Amino acid sequence: MRPRNPLPRTAPTRRLLLGGALAMLATGAGADPSPPRILAFGDSLTAGYGLPRGKGLVPVLSRRLAQQGRPAILLDGGLSGDTSYGGRVRIGWSLRRGVDAVIVQLGGNDLLSGIPAARAEANFDAILARAGQGGRPVLLVGIRTPEDHPQRAEWAALWPRLAARHGCLLLADLYAPLAAIPVGERAPYLLADGVHPSAQGVELIAEALTPRVLALLAMLDPGPARPPVRRLSG
């Protein structure tokens, strides 16, 4: 007597398996999700002013995220010389690239130009409202106000107030790691202009920024308490 075949209906079984595989492909089941897209929206500090290719804040931060096991596609939206007003004008266009989260880093040129904190605040309100549309997570990155600035207190209070109003994550001072270095030892961490960070300075800044960006990415993780983040065209 021939042994009984445990799968006598070979063709239907194959069709069933093939149909299941096609269904998984159609729904995306079993496929690795693409990395989230983060817009790094800022001025020369984001753009990597004066630095060799690959040494600016965006590529360095991208590498650090990958090393932490949270790779992301960082889109460089830095524009040297930009102010909060310039950011207000171009944020809509930048968001058309399709992003899941936004880092907003502006204000340094406002400070250097003597723009009043109240005027900058109105611009930041517009930027953060547009960036956070549809529940998109936003990280606001402030900057240290020079001690001799006439509106030092107003600018220092601006960052936490904006973050609270718009529900943003906050890193209040991008330059804190450099400010912690004694003045006589800062030269290797700055370019010759004494304002922009060198490659070594960028590494310190990225090290301090990475935990906040990881927190930003965590806001994209699915969870029962958070509505899904929609990718908007801006």
Side-chain angles (χ1 to χ4, degrees), residues 4 41 47 70 75 81 119 127 155 175 180 182-183 216 221 233-234:
R4 187 174 181 180
F41 186 74
R70 292 302 304 261
L75 305 175
R119 188 189 305 171
I127 292 169
W155 275 96
Y175 265 29
V183 175
L216 184 71
D221 293 339
S233 64

Side-chain angles (χ1 to χ4, degrees), residues 38-39 41 91 95 99-104 131 136-139 216:
I38 301 177
L39 172 65
F41 186 74
I91 182 63
L95 291 171
V99 300
D100 301 295
V102 182
I103 302 170
V104 175
R136 188 190 287 115
V138 178
L139 168 60
L216 184 71

